[in-house]
Amino acid sequence: MAALKLILLAAFLFLFNFTANSTALPTSFIKTSCKITTYPQVCVTSLSVYAPTIKRSPQQLAQTALSVSLDRAQSAHTFITKLNKFKGLKSREYAALKDCLEEMSETVDRINKSVKELTRMGSSRGKDVQWHMSNIQTWMSAAITNENSCADGFAGRALNGRIKSSIRARVTHVTQVTSNALALINQFPAKH
Ligand SMILES: *[C@@H]1O[C@H](CO)[C@@H](O)[C@H](O)[C@H]1NC(C)=O
C-alpha cells in the first residue's frame, strides 16, 4: 500500500511537470527590456509567447509580466494543494506544505491586487502614480518574501527528495517571474 502511494505520488509529480512550453521568437523589445531584470533568460522565455500583445508597449510588458507572475503563483498554489491531499507523507512534510499553502495563498492575493493597482496606475498622473507604484512595490516584495519562505520550508534534509525538489523548483520559478515583473514595473513610470 505504501509502495502504491509512492508510485501515485511519483506519477503525479511527473504529470504536473508536463507544462506546455510554447516557443515563440522573442522580439528585440522584449530582449532589451528583460536585460534589466535579475533573471533575463526566464524573462524572455516567459514573455515571448505574448509578443503580439506586448508589441513595444512598456505598460503592456509590465502588465503581461504581472499576469504571468499571477498565473505561475496560482498554478504553484494548486500544485501544493493537490500534494497536500496525498496520504502517507511525513508529518514534517505536511507541516511544511501547510505553511507553504498559506504563504502561496497570500502571494496569489498580493499579486492579484498588484494587477489591479497597475491598471489604475496606468491611467493616473503625478502623485497618484507614486502612490499606486508604492503599493505595488510593497505587495510584490511581500509576495517574494513569502515565496522564499515557502521554498526555505522545503530545504530541510528530513523531507522526501522528490516532493522537496519538485516544490522548490516550482516556487523558485514563481519567485523569478515575480522578481522580474517587479523590475519591469519599476522601470515603467520612468518612461512617462
Ligand atoms: C483576483 O481577484 C478577483 C476579485 O477581485 C477574483 O475574482 C479572482 O479570482 C482573483 N484571481 C486569482 C488568481 O486569485
Side-chain angles (χ1 to χ4, degrees):
M1 196 56 195
L4 178 62
K5 278 173 191 157
L6 275 182
I7 291 166
L8 286 175
L9 179 62
F12 170 76
L13 294 178
F14 176 76
L15 285 175
F16 224 101
N17 277 323
F18 242 80
T19 43
N21 240 335
S22 21
T23 44
L25 235 44
T27 60
S28 62
F29 173 69
I30 292 179
K31 275 201 251 179
T32 308
S33 308
C34 282
K35 279 191 185 136
I36 58 111
T37 66
T38 312
Y39 309 98
Q41 193 50 55
V42 173
C43 177
V44 170
T45 313
S46 62
L47 294 175
S48 291
V49 197
Y50 306 100
T53 319
I54 295 169
K55 296 187 181 80
R56 301 187 55 81
S57 155
Q59 173 156 10
Q60 274 301 333
L61 181 76
Q63 251 156 10
T64 307
L66 205 43
S67 306
V68 166
S69 165
L70 179 60
D71 176 70
R72 302 293 154 86
Q74 177 67 48
S75 143
H77 182 266
T78 305
F79 174 75
I80 297 161
T81 304
K82 290 189 175 161
L83 205 47
N84 196 35
K85 289 186 179 138
F86 270 99
K87 304 278 182 280
L89 303 182
K90 294 173 193 148
S91 60
R92 178 73 191 79
E93 287 167 343
Y94 284 120
L97 282 172
K98 185 171 170 282
D99 288 348
C100 187
L101 258 185
E102 273 171 31
E103 283 150 2
M104 291 308 287
S105 173
E106 279 177 17
T107 288
V108 170
D109 280 349
R110 283 170 178 151
I111 301 175
N112 199 0
K113 273 162 74 178
S114 300
V115 170
K116 287 163 202 145
E117 201 71 0
L118 185 63
T119 310
R120 286 185 205 116
M121 189 175 94
S123 54
S124 306
R125 289 284 169 270
K127 271 204 150 52
D128 283 349
V129 173
Q130 286 164 30
W131 162 249
H132 294 306
M133 182 59 133
S134 111
N135 285 337
I136 295 171
Q137 285 164 338
T138 305
W139 297 332
M140 293 296 277
S141 304
I144 292 169
T145 304
N146 272 18
E147 291 156 6
N148 283 330
S149 68
C150 164
D152 289 348
F154 288 91
R157 262 179 287 166
L159 303 176
N160 177 306
R162 269 171 302 192
I163 296 177
K164 191 167 86 174
S165 56
S166 177
I167 289 189
R168 279 177 70 88
R170 198 165 285 267
V171 175
T172 300
H173 177 73
V174 179
T175 310
Q176 291 173 347
V177 293
T178 310
S179 152
N180 285 348
L182 181 55
L184 293 172
I185 292 163
N186 279 338
Q187 74 154 9
F188 154 57
K191 298 195 170 164
H192 278 308

